[in-house]
Amino acid sequence: MSFRTDFIWGAATAAYQIEGAWNEDGKGPSVWDDFTHIPGKIFGDHTGDVACDHYHRVEEDVSLMAALGIRNYRFSVSWPRLMPDGIGAVNEKGVAFYDRLIDVLLEKGIRPFMTLFHWDYPSGAQMRGGWQNPDSADWFADYVSLCAKRYGDRVKDFITLNEPQCFVGLGYQRGTFGPGLVMSEKDVIGIAHNVLLAHGKAVQTLRALAPDCRVGYAPCGNVAIPCTESAEDIEAARSAYFATRRETGMFTVSWWSDPAMLGRYPEDGLRLYGQHLPAGWQDDMKVIHQPLDYYCQNIYNGNYFRAKDGRPEMVDQPVGVTKTACDWPVTPDCLYWGARFLYERYHTPFVISENGMSCIDTVSLDGKVHDPQRIDYLHRYLRGLKRAADEGIDVRGYFQWSLMDNFEWANGYNERFGIVYVDYATQRRIVKDSALWYRDVMETNGETL
């Protein structure tokens, strides 16, 4: 067997990580513009001010995508580029930029997947309380309304939020991502609820204004992988994957996905955090719980679990486990078990919205970038996803992260996740070996795996 004939093969990026032009053509500042300009917050004091200069290189980059056989492109829209203060006035030059990007994609036969929020929250909205403000979900819905009205005639695939675990957990709980705040548990739970409400209102807005569109949601989380395929270990891993535990903070699957997909918070989560939810939160659940066309998940690695005394026990990674350049373990089975567990729980067509690896990539003497480790990584992981598809899991798509090397948040330009190398001094793009390998995989619909 193979992947379904209409399987979505693609690559992904995010606005702040590639666009640059941080203060051009009327764009307002984001919390990431502010955060990266604070000395010591980012590796090497790097910023996204220029990044990959994609804002000025749209045609070049889309032509490169087309040459690499990429037919589906997941990108995000910068909220403050469209609405400089986060609410109110619209920046028509920002609107025109994404008009141009979408039109060029369609001209090249590439299907656009628009992610509406990938962390670059408008500074103007943050100064009004940001996600902590009860009105924040309505601000987001107004922004989504703009996107639906201006782009919904051509964009038919939208993803509401990317990795709320990260932008809430790291941005407001641990303080290591923009806006860099360390807040109380009560405040963080209130923020998380407002973010979920924003997701629900965004879906309602898209359904009303772009009724023929398809909508997804892209949370994240390390997968719990059973040590063996015994029924006991599988159940232990499943239990661990969906457990809500205070020690993991906001990095839990069920707290973020059960409300959106099942219309309820997990019981173990309510026992921990229920007292912090805002008054009347139960009435919000019918808004948060909106039917989705596909459930997305960003998956990079996992942890191993076994059953011990009737409970899940995490097992240490093997000594000498293979790791990526950013020290993440290589655990190919995570795509299989992630797809399986999530589909069994949520019964919604499944898409991997991000997967890839950081390598220590260099330009060789022959002028090329040879990255056999990335090819091996992608090959192994995609075989895991193919196993899920072969077993009847409704796997609809896979987006490789990332199309090109870019600004990797707190790690600046120290990590290279792209299948296209970027020389940041010259902005020259160099196709890596992995891009050519991935092109063959896409062309054969995974038969070469």
Side-chain angles (χ1 to χ4, degrees):
M1 295 178 66
S2 184
F3 294 100
R4 51 190 295 143
T5 56
D6 60 350
F7 192 80
I8 300 164
W9 294 101
T13 64
Y16 186 77
Q17 294 180 268
I18 68 167
E19 283 180 4
W22 75 282
N23 61 355
E24 291 186 37
D25 290 340
K27 177 186 173 295
S30 75
V31 296
W32 273 94
D33 293 315
D34 300 335
F35 189 64
T36 59
H37 291 154
I38 300 173
K41 294 296 184 181
I42 306 296
F43 175 88
D45 285 338
H46 298 168
T47 74
D49 291 2
V50 177
C52 305
D53 198 33
H54 176 70
Y55 187 81
H56 300 110
R57 299 170 185 268
V58 165
E59 289 79 6
E60 171 191 347
D61 289 339
V62 175
S63 293
L64 182 56
M65 276 186 256
L68 293 176
I70 293 168
R71 294 292 172 259
N72 302 279
Y73 177 48
R74 181 186 169 219
F75 63 97
S76 78
V77 178
S78 170
W79 185 351
R81 195 177 294 284
L82 294 187
M83 301 174 75
D85 291 323
I87 60 175
V90 173
N91 175 28
E92 291 297 337
K93 288 185 177 180
V95 173
F97 167 71
Y98 294 108
D99 270 329
R100 187 169 81 254
L101 170 59
I102 293 162
D103 288 344
V104 174
L105 287 169
L106 294 174
E107 287 169 8
K108 296 291 186 180
I110 300 172
R111 177 175 164 186
F113 285 72
M114 179 180 286
T115 301
L116 294 161
F117 183 71
H118 198 138
W119 307 359
D120 44 354
Y121 196 79
S123 300
Q126 183 63 31
M127 287 188 289
R128 295 177 176 86
W131 290 118
Q132 196 173 13
N133 191 314
D135 295 331
S136 58
D138 291 325
W139 300 341
F140 187 64
D142 288 343
Y143 155 66
V144 173
S145 174
L146 171 66
C147 293
K149 291 175 180 177
R150 298 298 185 98
Y151 307 127
D153 59 328
R154 289 154 293 158
V155 176
K156 302 303 177 184
D157 297 274
F158 293 90
I159 295 171
T160 57
L161 304 170
N162 183 81
E163 294 189 347
Q165 288 95 332
C166 286
F167 72 78
V168 174
L170 300 180
Y172 297 89
Q173 188 176 46
R174 300 184 188 177
T176 54
F177 276 17
L181 302 177
V182 179
M183 305 181 76
S184 70
E185 183 176 88
K186 176 179 174 60
D187 286 341
V188 171
I189 293 302
I191 286 171
H193 185 77
N194 289 338
V195 167
L196 284 165
L197 189 58
H199 159 77
K201 290 188 174 185
V203 179
Q204 290 180 324
T205 300
L206 290 167
R207 299 294 189 206
L209 298 177
D212 59 343
C213 74
R214 294 167 292 269
V215 185
Y217 169 52
C220 63
N222 290 351
V223 175
I225 305 169
C227 284
T228 73
E229 296 200 10
S230 70
E232 294 79 9
D233 282 354
I234 290 172
E235 184 53 39
R238 180 186 289 109
S239 175
Y241 194 27
F242 296 110
T244 303
R245 302 185 301 275
R246 180 168 273 113
E247 58 266 28
T248 59
M250 284 291 92
F251 288 87
T252 172
V253 172
S254 58
W255 188 260
W256 289 102
S257 293
D258 281 11
M261 304 304 296
L262 303 178
R264 61 179 183 265
Y265 280 111
E267 288 299 323
D268 58 355
L270 286 175
R271 287 193 292 270
L272 287 175
Y273 304 131
Q275 72 274 21
H276 298 320
L277 287 167
W281 65 267
Q282 296 92 338
D283 296 332
D284 293 333
M285 300 313 288
K286 60 182 177 292
V287 176
I288 294 170
H289 181 213
Q290 298 296 317
L292 296 178
D293 297 283
Y294 36 78
Y295 174 83
C296 308
Q297 191 88 350
N298 297 353
I299 297 177
Y300 290 90
N301 55 69
N303 299 304
Y304 292 91
F305 285 83
R306 66 186 175 197
K308 184 176 182 180
D309 300 327
R311 299 174 61 86
E313 178 185 64
M314 189 165 73
V315 178
D316 291 340
Q317 297 282 357
V319 174
V321 64
T322 301
K323 294 186 177 181
T324 69
C326 61
D327 206 35
W328 294 352
V330 176
T331 54
D333 288 338
C334 66
L335 284 201
Y336 168 72
W337 290 105
R340 175 173 162 175
F341 287 156
L342 291 164
Y343 185 71
E344 288 173 348
R345 189 175 182 92
Y346 300 128
H347 305 288
T348 301
F350 182 74
V351 173
I352 291 291
S353 38
E354 286 185 23
N355 171 250
M357 75 174 294
S358 173
C359 285
I360 302 175
D361 296 319
T362 60
V363 181
S364 298
L365 288 173
D366 60 4
K368 299 178 181 180
V369 179
H370 305 292
D371 56 342
Q373 294 93 341
R374 182 176 287 108
I375 292 173
D376 187 73
Y377 173 103
L378 294 175
H379 195 165
R380 292 174 186 271
Y381 275 64
L382 284 170
R383 287 179 69 176
L385 190 64
K386 186 174 185 294
R387 178 187 171 191
D390 287 345
E391 292 183 7
I393 303 301
D394 191 0
V395 181
R396 297 289 179 92
Y398 172 89
F399 287 90
Q400 190 276 335
W401 183 270
S402 173
L403 172 66
M404 66 182 82
D405 297 335
N406 53 51
F407 176 84
E408 194 52 46
W409 307 112
N411 290 323
Y413 300 101
N414 195 46
E415 308 292 346
R416 291 185 177 271
F417 275 84
I419 54 174
V420 174
Y421 184 93
V422 178
D423 180 333
Y424 297 110
T426 65
Q427 293 297 338
R428 181 187 174 201
R429 276 72 161 140
I430 303 173
V431 172
K432 302 179 187 180
D433 288 354
S434 58
L436 304 178
W437 177 87
Y438 188 47
R439 181 178 63 188
D440 292 341
V441 171
M442 292 187 287
E443 287 178 350
T444 62
N445 197 33
E447 290 289 352
T448 57
L449 297 171

